[in-house]
Amino acid sequence: GENVEQHPSTLSVQEGDSAVIKCTYSDSASNYFPWYKQELGKGPQLIIDIRSNVGEKKDQRIAVTLNKTAKHFSLHITETQPEDSAVYFCAGTVTGNQFYFGTGTSLTVIP
Amino acid sequence: DARVTQTPRHKVTEMGQEVTMRCQPILGHNTVFWYRQTMMQGLELLAYFRNRAPLDDSGMPKDRFSAEMPDATLATLKIQPSEPRDSAVYFCASGGHTEAFFGQGTRLTVV
């Protein structure tokens, strides 16, 4: 099955700086890559996703890039704010199948 | 505001007791996932269903766990008998063809 690795496990940035979280995957058949944000005591919330036929996708301050050749994808958060502090999970899947999650990145934005 | 609803949100039970967790998927979604989250193992897939039929339950300890979808509006995860090592947060997620949306989880503590 798919193996998704995520780095770093913890990340601290100053408010206003950018944050980047990277994931790699092993199964070249994977074609859908969502990112989830999990706040304390809550369930993971889908924040952005990308499909394998797209190289980059943006939504306001967040963006995701995908390099199919290298089998890696990244989450970029610009102009970070304290409310961005949370645990972020990447995942990979073949559409319609189970999601394979990374181990999570705990992001702290320092005011 | 469509959302996945899980009950109960918290459950404390004694070892050996039966535990039933319930999930109401988003109306119209045909895929339901059960994930378990622990600090050590992260997000692990226990089982998932499509159109109420189980597709994969290889992540579940079969001797004590069971998952069912008695109808399209209800998914259940049952543990009998429960053990302290089952203490975790159990998430249900539902999805259509691609995206998956998580509920708020059931925090289970087995003492």
Side-chain angles (χ1 to χ4, degrees):
Chain A
E2 173 69 282
N3 180 41
V4 176
E5 295 190 354
Q6 183 172 349
H7 301 281
S9 56
T10 60
L11 179 61
S12 292
V13 298
Q14 291 291 137
E15 182 177 357
D17 287 350
S18 295
V20 180
I21 303 170
K22 298 182 179 182
C23 289
T24 61
Y25 62 99
S26 61
D27 187 354
S28 56
S30 290
N31 59 0
Y32 175 65
F33 306 92
W35 286 89
Y36 288 85
K37 174 184 180 182
Q38 187 175 23
E39 297 174 320
L40 198 61
K42 297 186 177 181
Q45 177 191 5
L46 178 65
I47 56 172
I48 196 167
D49 56 17
I50 192 165
R51 289 165 173 75
S52 59
N53 59 349
V54 175
E56 183 176 3
K57 183 177 178 181
K58 288 184 179 179
D59 183 2
Q60 299 182 338
R61 296 186 297 107
I62 59 174
V64 58
T65 59
L66 171 66
N67 182 327
K68 284 193 299 183
T69 303
K71 296 202 194 74
H72 65 71
F73 57 111
S74 301
L75 177 71
H76 304 252
I77 306 173
T78 58
E79 300 172 22
T80 52
Q81 302 168 2
E83 51 265 39
D84 295 329
S85 295
V87 178
Y88 291 80
F89 292 94
C90 62
T93 185
V94 175
T95 304
N97 289 349
Q98 66 163 296
F99 291 76
Y100 294 88
F101 285 89
T103 49
T105 296
S106 178
L107 173 65
T108 302
V109 179
I110 304 165
Chain B
D1 183 25
R3 64 181 66 185
V4 177
T5 303
Q6 289 186 247
T7 56
R9 290 293 313 277
H10 304 273
K11 176 72 175 179
V12 180
T13 191
E14 291 185 348
M15 182 172 61
Q17 296 298 305
E18 178 178 297
V19 175
T20 299
M21 291 169 269
R22 294 177 174 80
C23 168
Q24 181 177 356
I26 294 172
L27 190 65
H29 282 186
N30 65 349
T31 306
V32 173
F33 303 88
W34 282 105
Y35 280 89
R36 174 169 63 185
Q37 186 175 40
T38 61
M39 289 296 293
M40 294 300 295
Q41 300 297 327
L43 282 160
E44 303 174 272
L45 179 76
L46 296 175
Y48 76 107
F49 295 77
R50 176 151 309 115
N51 298 322
R52 297 175 54 202
L55 288 189
D56 186 349
D57 61 1
S58 59
M60 285 201 316
K62 299 289 193 307
D63 57 338
R64 299 186 300 108
F65 285 59
S66 62
E68 295 179 345
M69 281 202 73
D71 62 61
T73 64
L74 177 65
T76 62
L77 180 66
K78 189 174 294 186
I79 307 174
Q80 167 64 21
S82 58
E83 297 181 0
R85 60 179 166 151
D86 301 328
S87 297
V89 182
Y90 291 80
F91 287 105
C92 172
S94 77
H97 184 60
T98 308
E99 300 94 342
F101 300 92
F102 281 76
Q104 297 285 48
T106 294
R107 180 174 293 278
L108 174 65
T109 303
V110 184
V111 298

